[in-house]
């Protein structure tokens, strides 16, 4: 190819490459336009760009081909994907047109425009061409560099200024002005005493805001998973101990009743066992740290009822309750 | 001496400015200040007159250029004064009679709380009139002309709380506007014809312009004169102008305002001399008006309105004389001066009578006043003798000459004009005798004073007690002295002027003079005048002297009834001018509402509707805009390709 | 094969990108379509470079890339800002340019 001057046709290999990859590029472009999800559009576009990079290489623009891949596909498309993620990756656009006549007009204008462009190109009737052989003789990158730093040096400087401006502009656009000073720790604690913890409801029935740090989940409960509320001294659950998001979704698992019931069952079985084997091992039960003895007489009966369980917890109750339950006898046994 | 000319105008103008802007602080001295400044103006006039008498006849005219007023390209308007014999005559008349009327007003307006303002207006009136007669070009004359109109408006409507006075003032102003339009058109025509409107070039080159143009200018000037001098057909304002205080009437009728028209025509004599058609129009107007005014004067019972009719008639004489050309100019001015004396005297006398009779103006409720008001009677009587042309008195000399001049016009025209003036003289004798008899002779027909609460706007100063008969008394000295002075003028002025043809010689350099070719000798005319005079007096005596006069006017003949309504002048104006005007405005209003408004609103509605449609293109969706942009790009490509293909 | 075919491909891609700008409401996708149009132009420039036998077309394509990078930075910042304030990335929702 480098020897070609005023050639009239390319190599067959390039022709094959063009028709195959050109089809891919067009399909990618159409997918970009027609895919409902922005992520798919972005990926299609990236594919098209890679094809274009290959075309650049085929046309002797080696530097541009690499830059196309690095800058476009590597940087710009990733920026796109980043923003798509930021804005919401799951949302699929409706392709239903809301503007009256917009689709027809767009298609009409597109067809007219494309036909006119093609007509213009065909009108030019370029039969021969020069090829980049002589231009690339000293190396493509060197040739470009020579042009950039001589003939186009002003444009180059100006694009530098443009890039800086764009960077600053993007920062200014996304910058959120802080309208009041940052609060000190003292002020934060004072605010909390005054209004309670932001996002935390007052403990039910108290009428007072929650001023202390919220209790950790699972305290006094048999589990310390984040979706299991801590227990208050009277055995009721402290919902503030659970993450607000889970609380909003209703994904709180109250397993306290189940644990007590399991403990009661264990003790019943232990009693049976003692009755069968004589009165040994009773001290093991007494050393149980959960204070479950206090709840045993009434807690097992009142807290754990099937109806109560169904009413308090939603239907999406995790299926791994059994695994969790399995820990309680172990803990109790220790 | 030239510098003094400006002072002539400046003195009363200063008085007007000080009095009108000075505020209440000047209330106590305002009338003295106004009178003093009028007197100063008269003194300056007298000094200038003496100076002028000392000069050679050919060298008497003074000229004083003050400043260039509007120098724009070829258009050049200057403020300059010209004092020649004609202006001098007017200056003396205006300032002299004006000063006397000022003095009279001190007494007459004594009880009016707005007296200071009144004197301010009087001074303004004098200043405007002096500017009018002293201007050396038509544009400056126009300024004075308008100033006179303004001052007359202010003074006629001085008792503005009376609706009748306010209406009369408006009427005078509006009718005068018609004449003013004539003057402005005349000035424009002059400018297009001569390229200037200064007296000297216009009048010296008048005969070089075409007769058609001169006739047009002359007719426009005549229209102006008709407005200011209350000549038919613009006479209707004069009678109503009697709503103003009596001194104002005296001033308007004797010294200022109505004489302006005569001045204008005499001053523009060169134009009229070269436009015989315009002259014919002038004499026609004069003849018609002198009879019109005289007939109106016969029927009026209101003493001031009878005198107003008389004024109209006498001004008609002057206009007629001025229309006769060089034969009559001098006599027009001479009659103007003598008339100024006796008419001022008559009006002041009438004011004195009204003052004595609780502001009663109906002559049928006077009678036998000669014993109660001897000075008024004597001065009024001398004025009366002067106006009817009693031999030896002022009116005799001037009016007789006009009648002679009318005959001297020659031909059929001369005979008709002469007959008209003679008839006018007879009627003048009749109605003036009637006024005299009704007022001062016969038995008392006094009526109890009207209730001031019922008749709004009685002249302030009348100590009227409702229900009481008036107690006529002689007026204070400030009023009687001017009357006496004017009576002297009425008696001797004409004689003095005629001594050795003094007045003719005096004015001839300005106006020119021509004895004409009278078919009748002067003695014959005088004899004829005497005959008609005696006939007029005798008729009046037969009707009002021998028989007792009814207090309420009899129904009278159709002519009398018409004359009481000013010969239907207002009805005529109403039908001919007001009604068509109303129809025209109504029609225009309809056209405005339907056609013009329709076009405007239709245009607005169509633009609005179109915009409403176009607005839908601007739907705010960026994609819609992008489509149009993209389509535009496609069109551009198509255009480029087409151009290349071509 | 004639390299002019690259020009036809470029105009096809350009038209598809333009149609996408007109048809899609999601501002990010619209922006991607704009990038597609820019790339189509770049392809045309590169093809021109080859046809002419000099490197000026590639220089222009290079500058286009730089400018496109700057444009993407600012454009995406705008989209993020708009999304932050309106909770929508639809270009139709930002239809404030009307009465």
């Amino acid at each position: 190819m480098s020897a070609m001057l005023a050639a009239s046709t390319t190599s067959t290999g390039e022709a094959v490459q063009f028709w195959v990859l050109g089809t891919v590029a067009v399909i990618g472009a159409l997918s970009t336009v027609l895919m409902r999800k922005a992520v798919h559009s972005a990926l299609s576009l990236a594919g098209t760009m890679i094809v274009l990079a290959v075309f650049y290489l085929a046309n002797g623009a080696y530097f541009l081909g690499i830059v196309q891949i690095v800058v476009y596909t590597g940087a710009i498309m990733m920026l796109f994907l980043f923003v798509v993620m930021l804005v919401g990756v799951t949302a699929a656009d409706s392709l239903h047109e809301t503007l009256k006549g917009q689709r027809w007009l767009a298609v009409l204008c597109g067809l007219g425009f494309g036909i006119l462009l093609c007509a213009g190109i065909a009108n030019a009737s370029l039969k021969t061409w020069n090829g980049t052989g002589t231009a690339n003789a000293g190396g493509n990158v060197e040739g470009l560099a020579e042009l950039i730093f001589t003939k186009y040096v002003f444009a180059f400087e100006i694009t530098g200024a443009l890039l800086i401006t764009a960077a600053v502009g993007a920062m200014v656009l996304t910058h959120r002005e802080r309208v009041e000073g940052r609060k000190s720790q003292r002020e934060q604690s004072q605010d909390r005493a005054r209004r309670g913890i932001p996002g935390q409801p007052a403990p039910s029935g108290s009428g007072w805001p929650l001023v202390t740090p919220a209790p950790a989940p699972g305290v006094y409960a048999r589990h310390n998973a984040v979706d299991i509320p801590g227990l208050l001294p009277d055995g009721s659950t402290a919902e503030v101990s659970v993450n607000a998001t889970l609380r909003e979704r209703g994904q709180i698992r109250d397993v306290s009743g189940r644990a007590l019931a399991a403990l009661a069952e264990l003790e019943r079985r232990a009693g049976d066992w003692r009755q069968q084997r004589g009165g040994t091992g009773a001290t093991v039960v007494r050393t149980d740290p959960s204070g479950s003895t206090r709840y045993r007489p009434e807690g097992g009966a009142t807290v754990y009822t099937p109806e109560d369980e169904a009413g308090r917890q939603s239907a999406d109750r995790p299926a791994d309750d059994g695994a969790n339950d399995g820990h309680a006898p172990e803990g109790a046994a220790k | 001496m030239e510098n003094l000319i400006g002072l002539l105008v400046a003195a009363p103008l200063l008085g007007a400015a000080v009095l009108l802007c000075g505020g209440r602080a000047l209330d106590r001295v305002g009338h003295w200040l106004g009178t003093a400044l009028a007197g100063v103006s008269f003194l300056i006039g007298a000094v200038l007159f003496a100076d002028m008498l000392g000069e050679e006849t050919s060298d008497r005219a003074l000229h004083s250029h003050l400043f260039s007023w509007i120098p724009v390209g070829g258009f050049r308007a200057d403020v300059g004064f010209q004092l020649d014999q004609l202006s001098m005559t007017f200056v003396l008349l205006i300032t002299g009679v004006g000063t006397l009327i000022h003095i009279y007003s001190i007494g007459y307006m004594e009880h009016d709380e707005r007296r200071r303002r009144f004197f301010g207006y009087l001074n303004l009136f004098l200043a405007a009139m002096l500017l009018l007669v002293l201007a050396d070009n038509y544009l400056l004359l126009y300024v004075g002309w308008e100033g006179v109109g303004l001052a007359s408006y202010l003074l006629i409507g001085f008792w503005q709380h009376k609706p009748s006075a306010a209406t009369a003032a408006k009427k005078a102003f509006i009718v005068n506007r018609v004449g003013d339009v004539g003057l402005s058109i005349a000035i424009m025509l002059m400018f297009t014809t001569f390229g200037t409107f200064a007296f000297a070039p216009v009048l010296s080159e008048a005969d070089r312009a075409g007769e058609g143009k001169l006739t047009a200018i002359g007719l426009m000037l005549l229209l102006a004169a008709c407005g200011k001098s209350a000549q038919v057909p613009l006479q209707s304002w004069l009678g109503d102008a009697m709503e103003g205080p009596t001194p104002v009437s005296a001033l308007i009728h004797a010294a200022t305002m109505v004489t302006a028209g005569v001045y204008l025509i005499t001053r523009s004599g060169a134009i009229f001399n070269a436009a015989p058609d315009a002259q014919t129009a002038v004499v026609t107007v004069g003849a018609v008006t002198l009879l019109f005014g005289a007939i109106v004067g016969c029927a009026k019972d209101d003493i001031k309105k009878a005198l107003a009719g008389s004024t109209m008639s006498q001004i008609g004489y002057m206009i007629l004389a001025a229309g006769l050309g060089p034969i009559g100019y001098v006599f027009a001015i001479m009659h103007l001066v003598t008339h100024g004396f006796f008419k001022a005297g008559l009006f002041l006398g009438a004011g004195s009578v009204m003052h004595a009779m609780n502001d009663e103006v109906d002559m049928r409720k006077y009678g036998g006043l000669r014993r109660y008001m001897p000075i008024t009677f004597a001065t009024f009587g001398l004025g009366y003798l002067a106006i009817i042309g009693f031999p030896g008195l002022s009116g005799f000399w001037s009016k007789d000459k006009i009648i002679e001049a009318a005959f001297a016009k020659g031909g059929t025209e001369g005979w008709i004009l002469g007959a008209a003036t003679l008839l006018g003289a007879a009627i003048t004798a009749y109605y003036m005798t009637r006024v005299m008899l009704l007022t001062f002779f016969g038995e008392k027909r006094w009526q109890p004073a009207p209730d001031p609460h019922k008749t709004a706007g009685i002249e302030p100063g009348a100590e009227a007690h409702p229900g009481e008969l008036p107690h006529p008394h002689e007026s204070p000295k400030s009023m009687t002295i001017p009357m006496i002075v004017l009576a002297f003028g009425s008696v001797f002025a004409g004689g003095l002027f005629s001594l050795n043809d003094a007045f003719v010689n005096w004015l001839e350099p300005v106006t020119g003079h021509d004895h004409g070719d009278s078919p009748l000798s002067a003695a014959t005319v005088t004899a004829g005048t005497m005959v008609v005079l005696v006939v007029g007096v005798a008729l009046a005596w037969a009707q009002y002297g021998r028989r007792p006069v009814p207090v309420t006017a009899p129904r009278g003949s159709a002519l009398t009834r018409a004359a009481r309504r000013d010969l239907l002048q207002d009805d005529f104006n109403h039908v001919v001018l007001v009604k068509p005007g109303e129809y025209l405005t109504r029609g225009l209003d309809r056209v405005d509402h339907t056609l013009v408004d329709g076009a405007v609103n239709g245009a607005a509605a169509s633009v609005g509707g179109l915009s409403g449609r176009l607005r839908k293109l601007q739907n705010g969706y960026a994609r819609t805009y992008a489509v149009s942009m993209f389509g535009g790009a496609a069109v551009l490509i198509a255009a480029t390709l087409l151009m290349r293909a071509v | 094969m004639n390299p002019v075919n690259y020009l036809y491909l470029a105009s096809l891609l350009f038209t598809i990108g333009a149609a996408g700008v007109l048809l899609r409401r999601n501002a990010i996708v619209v922006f991607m379509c704009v990038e597609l149009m820019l790339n189509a132009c770049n392809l045309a420039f590169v093809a021109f470079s080859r046809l002419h036998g000099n490197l000026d077309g590639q220089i222009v394509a290079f500058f286009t890339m730089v400018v496109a990078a700057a444009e993407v930075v600012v454009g995406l910042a705008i989209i993020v800002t708009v999304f932050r304030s309106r909770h929508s990335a639809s270009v139709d929702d930002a239809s404030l340019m009307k009465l």
Side-chain angles (χ1 to χ4, degrees):
Chain A
M1 192 161 66
S2 60
M4 249 188 268
L5 273 178
S8 61
T9 182
T10 58
S11 66
T12 314
E14 194 187 344
V16 171
Q17 185 198 39
F18 174 81
W19 289 113
V20 172
L21 289 183
T23 314
V24 174
V26 171
I27 290 172
L30 286 173
S31 310
T32 307
V33 173
L34 297 175
M35 283 292 175
R36 291 185 61 190
K37 289 197 173 185
V39 177
H40 296 165
S41 288
L43 291 175
S44 308
L45 184 61
T48 304
M49 283 175 173
I50 290 171
V51 171
L52 287 182
V54 174
F55 283 158
Y56 292 172
L57 293 173
N59 277 310
Y62 308 118
F63 178 69
L64 279 184
I66 302 302
V67 167
Q68 170 83 1
I69 289 175
V70 172
V71 173
Y72 255 114
T73 349
I76 293 181
M77 287 321 298
M78 290 315 110
L79 194 58
F80 266 108
L81 284 175
F82 185 74
V83 172
V84 168
M85 300 295 173
L86 194 68
V87 167
V89 70
T90 54
D93 291 350
S94 161
L95 287 181
H96 180 255
E97 183 56 60
T98 49
L99 298 182
K100 200 172 115 189
Q102 173 79 11
R103 182 163 287 173
W104 292 113
L105 276 173
V107 169
L108 191 71
C109 285
L111 279 178
F113 191 84
I115 289 169
L116 282 167
L117 269 187
C118 293
I121 294 165
N123 198 24
S125 67
L126 299 162
K127 297 292 185 224
T128 59
W129 73 95
N130 294 325
T132 49
T134 48
N136 277 345
N140 178 250
V141 178
E142 286 81 355
L144 283 179
E146 196 181 331
L147 276 177
I148 285 175
F149 292 111
T150 55
K151 192 174 171 185
Y152 294 99
V153 68
F154 278 114
F156 180 73
E157 297 289 341
I158 290 168
T159 46
L162 180 71
L163 281 174
I164 290 181
T165 313
V168 173
M171 282 192 279
V172 168
L173 275 171
T174 50
H175 175 68
R176 265 196 267 202
E177 192 65 37
R178 177 180 286 279
V179 293
E180 52 188 9
R182 189 183 288 276
K183 286 204 169 102
S184 68
Q185 196 173 14
R186 167 180 286 271
E187 285 166 340
Q188 282 179 348
S189 69
Q190 282 169 344
D191 275 1
R192 194 165 58 209
R194 206 171 290 130
R195 289 195 300 270
I197 294 172
Q200 297 287 10
S204 54
S206 68
W208 295 96
L210 187 67
V211 296
T212 58
V219 177
Y220 298 123
R222 290 308 180 100
H223 298 255
N224 57 1
V226 288
D227 60 343
I228 295 180
L231 293 180
L232 293 174
D234 62 352
S236 61
T237 55
E239 297 212 335
V240 291
S241 64
V242 181
N243 183 301
T245 308
L246 294 177
R247 198 161 62 222
E248 286 295 317
R249 291 185 190 161
Q251 289 180 345
I252 299 176
R253 279 193 303 147
D254 179 9
V255 294
S256 55
R258 190 183 306 254
L260 293 173
L263 187 63
E265 175 67 15
L266 181 68
E267 287 192 355
R268 188 185 59 75
R269 278 196 278 135
D272 289 349
W273 181 77
R274 267 207 307 273
Q275 281 179 347
Q276 290 170 4
R277 294 292 181 97
T280 58
T283 50
V284 176
V285 174
R286 289 289 163 247
T287 57
D288 189 327
S290 66
S292 60
T293 47
R294 187 177 149 199
Y295 290 102
R296 188 179 40 179
E298 70 277 54
T302 56
V303 174
Y304 185 54
T305 57
E307 297 86 359
D308 213 13
E309 185 79 6
R312 186 165 35 190
Q313 304 209 343
S314 54
D316 63 344
R317 174 190 176 128
D320 57 352
D321 268 3
N324 286 337
D325 285 354
H327 292 288
E330 284 169 22
K334 285 169 188 171
Chain B
M1 276 301 147
E2 282 85 353
N3 298 337
L4 282 179
I5 304 175
L7 279 183
L8 268 177
V9 183
L13 199 60
L14 175 75
V18 168
L19 290 176
L20 293 178
C21 305
R24 298 237 171 97
L26 292 172
D27 270 351
R28 288 177 54 206
V29 295
H31 46 288
W32 294 115
L33 184 67
T35 310
L37 283 168
V40 164
S41 194
F42 175 67
L43 285 179
I44 297 171
V47 168
L48 286 168
F49 178 61
D51 184 64
M52 190 179 276
L53 282 181
E55 299 283 339
E56 286 295 315
T57 310
S58 59
D59 201 21
R60 278 177 173 169
L62 290 177
H63 197 271
S64 150
H65 177 260
L66 260 66
F67 55 89
S68 191
W69 180 19
I70 312 174
V72 183
F75 180 88
R76 188 176 166 80
D78 291 341
V79 172
F81 294 131
Q82 169 184 328
L83 186 69
D84 57 8
Q85 289 91 329
L86 181 62
S87 300
M88 192 72 238
T89 313
F90 271 90
V91 165
L92 288 179
L93 176 72
I94 294 163
T95 55
V97 176
T99 306
L100 289 175
I101 290 170
H102 272 75
I103 295 169
Y104 179 88
S105 302
I106 293 173
Y108 191 85
M109 302 297 282
E110 194 176 356
H111 301 283
D112 195 308
E113 55 189 21
R114 293 163 71 228
R115 181 161 65 162
R116 170 182 55 82
R117 189 183 299 247
F118 182 78
F119 275 83
Y121 292 158
L122 284 185
N123 273 359
L124 181 64
F125 211 155
L126 287 193
M129 193 66 197
L130 286 170
L131 185 65
L132 196 161
V133 298
L134 284 171
D136 73 342
N137 62 64
Y138 280 98
L139 197 66
L140 192 59
L141 179 143
Y142 189 66
V143 174
W145 191 270
E146 292 296 322
V148 168
L150 169 69
S152 67
Y153 169 79
L154 292 170
L155 283 169
I156 293 169
F158 185 72
W159 287 320
Q160 59 213 188
H161 51 87
K162 285 200 293 185
S164 57
T167 312
K170 267 193 287 184
K171 187 175 179 183
F173 197 72
I174 291 168
V175 174
N176 265 295
R177 300 305 315 164
V178 181
D180 296 347
V181 169
L183 184 53
S184 55
I185 293 175
I187 292 175
M188 292 173 208
L189 283 173
M190 275 175 209
F191 190 75
T192 56
T193 310
F194 304 105
T196 177
F197 30 66
F199 286 149
V202 169
L203 298 177
S204 60
E205 292 175 20
D207 41 1
R208 281 193 222 157
E211 193 183 321
K213 274 202 166 170
L214 288 179
T215 307
I217 294 175
L219 288 177
M220 286 299 119
L221 288 175
L222 173 63
L223 182 65
C226 284
K228 220 34 121 198
S229 293
Q231 300 296 294
V232 175
L234 299 178
Q235 81 290 0
S236 62
W237 63 272
L238 191 70
D240 292 330
M242 291 304 119
E243 289 292 341
T246 308
V248 175
S249 306
L251 198 59
I252 288 178
H253 288 234
T256 59
M257 190 90 179
V258 293
T259 58
V262 183
Y263 172 79
L264 184 67
I265 290 178
T266 311
R267 175 59 80 190
S268 314
I271 293 173
F272 284 97
N273 292 345
D277 291 341
Q279 273 190 322
T280 310
V282 173
V283 291
T284 310
V285 165
V288 169
T289 310
L290 84 87
L291 293 175
F292 186 101
I295 292 169
V296 170
C298 293
K300 290 286 185 187
D301 288 329
D302 181 328
I303 185 170
K304 283 175 76 178
K305 293 204 169 167
L307 290 177
S310 153
T311 301
M312 207 188 287
S313 170
Q314 300 300 315
I315 302 285
Y317 271 107
M318 299 171 208
I319 295 283
L320 188 149
L324 293 173
I327 317 172
Y329 290 136
V330 173
F331 301 125
I333 301 302
M334 185 162 131
H335 192 57
L336 192 149
V337 175
T338 56
H339 174 259
F341 283 119
F342 55 69
K343 186 50 63 69
L346 286 172
F347 263 111
L348 297 189
S352 176
V353 169
M354 285 155 55
H355 201 67
M357 297 296 286
N358 294 344
D359 290 312
E360 180 59 65
V361 292
D362 190 349
M363 289 187 291
R364 289 181 187 276
K365 295 171 185 168
Y366 292 163
L369 286 174
R370 68 181 183 279
R371 271 189 297 271
Y372 299 92
M373 312 176 69
I375 299 175
T376 306
F377 169 63
T379 56
F380 197 94
L382 288 172
Y384 153 74
L385 291 177
I387 195 174
I388 63 171
F390 192 79
L393 273 69
S394 290
F396 168 76
W397 299 107
S398 52
K399 197 193 283 182
D400 203 45
K401 293 286 185 194
I402 291 180
I403 297 171
E404 272 180 43
F407 279 112
K409 178 77 176 169
T412 323
E413 203 183 345
W415 284 106
I416 294 172
L417 293 175
T421 49
L422 270 182
L423 183 59
I427 305 175
T428 306
Y430 172 81
Y431 68 72
M432 284 313 297
T433 311
R434 174 173 174 268
V435 169
M436 202 60 198
L437 290 173
L438 284 177
T439 306
F440 292 103
F441 294 89
E443 71 274 29
K444 302 177 199 169
R445 299 180 300 276
W446 306 345
Q447 300 293 314
D451 188 345
H453 298 295
K454 283 179 188 166
T455 45
I458 293 196
E459 294 193 15
E463 299 120 22
H465 301 287
E468 278 184 30
L469 284 180
H471 304 286
H473 52 276
E474 193 50 84
S475 297
K477 284 223 169 61
S478 69
M479 291 166 71
T480 52
I481 288 172
M483 287 154 63
I484 293 166
V485 173
L486 288 169
F488 271 100
S490 312
V491 174
F492 299 113
L496 276 176
F497 291 163
S498 301
L499 210 61
N500 295 328
D501 280 343
F503 200 78
V504 175
N505 295 333
W506 163 254
L507 270 186
E508 197 182 350
V510 181
T511 60
H513 186 59
D514 180 8
H515 283 288
D517 187 16
S518 180
L520 301 171
S521 69
T524 320
V525 172
T526 309
T529 313
M530 286 306 111
V531 169
V532 298
L533 170 65
V534 169
V535 169
V537 171
L539 273 176
W541 168 255
Q543 196 171 353
Y544 297 101
R546 264 187 339 175
R547 287 180 298 201
V549 181
V551 174
T552 48
R555 192 156 175 274
S557 66
L559 181 65
T560 312
R561 289 202 301 275
R564 278 189 196 134
R565 300 192 59 174
D566 299 310
L567 287 177
L568 306 177
Q569 60 182 17
D570 290 335
D571 307 74
F572 177 81
N573 285 347
H574 191 72
V575 172
V576 174
L577 300 172
V578 178
K579 278 288 175 190
E582 279 180 5
Y583 290 137
L584 180 68
T585 47
R586 240 177 256 152
L588 285 178
D589 181 56
R590 202 164 296 148
V591 167
D592 182 54
H593 270 106
T594 52
L595 283 182
V596 178
D597 284 7
V600 170
N601 292 342
S606 55
V607 168
L610 192 63
S611 313
R613 303 263 156 73
L614 282 177
R615 206 180 84 165
K616 296 204 172 121
L617 292 177
Q618 298 284 328
N619 57 5
Y621 293 113
R623 292 194 295 142
T624 308
Y625 302 156
V627 165
S628 40
M629 214 171 121
F630 194 45
V635 170
L636 275 180
I637 292 176
T640 314
L641 288 179
L642 273 177
M643 290 306 292
R644 286 174 61 94
V646 171
Chain C
M1 188 197 81
N2 194 318
V4 172
N5 286 354
Y6 287 112
L7 297 181
Y8 289 120
L9 178 64
S11 45
L12 185 56
L13 293 179
F14 186 92
T15 309
I16 292 171
V21 169
L22 300 183
L23 291 173
R24 296 302 298 260
R25 279 195 297 275
N26 188 330
I28 301 170
V29 178
V30 168
F31 211 42
M32 286 183 207
C33 292
V34 172
E35 291 303 317
L36 182 59
M37 291 161 77
L38 282 169
N39 270 291
C41 292
N42 278 353
L43 179 60
F45 280 124
V46 170
F48 282 136
S49 170
R50 185 182 185 186
L51 289 170
H52 284 289
N54 58 31
L55 295 177
D56 288 38
Q58 293 185 21
I59 296 287
V60 175
F62 171 75
F63 282 130
T64 309
M65 282 185 190
V66 176
V67 173
E71 179 217 347
V72 164
V73 168
V74 176
L76 288 178
I78 290 173
I79 289 174
V80 168
T81 312
V82 168
F83 182 80
R84 209 187 263 161
S85 63
R86 307 182 72 86
H87 299 287
S88 159
S90 168
V91 290
D92 284 2
D93 285 352
S95 60
L96 300 175
M97 286 192 291
K98 63 179 176 185
L99 290 175

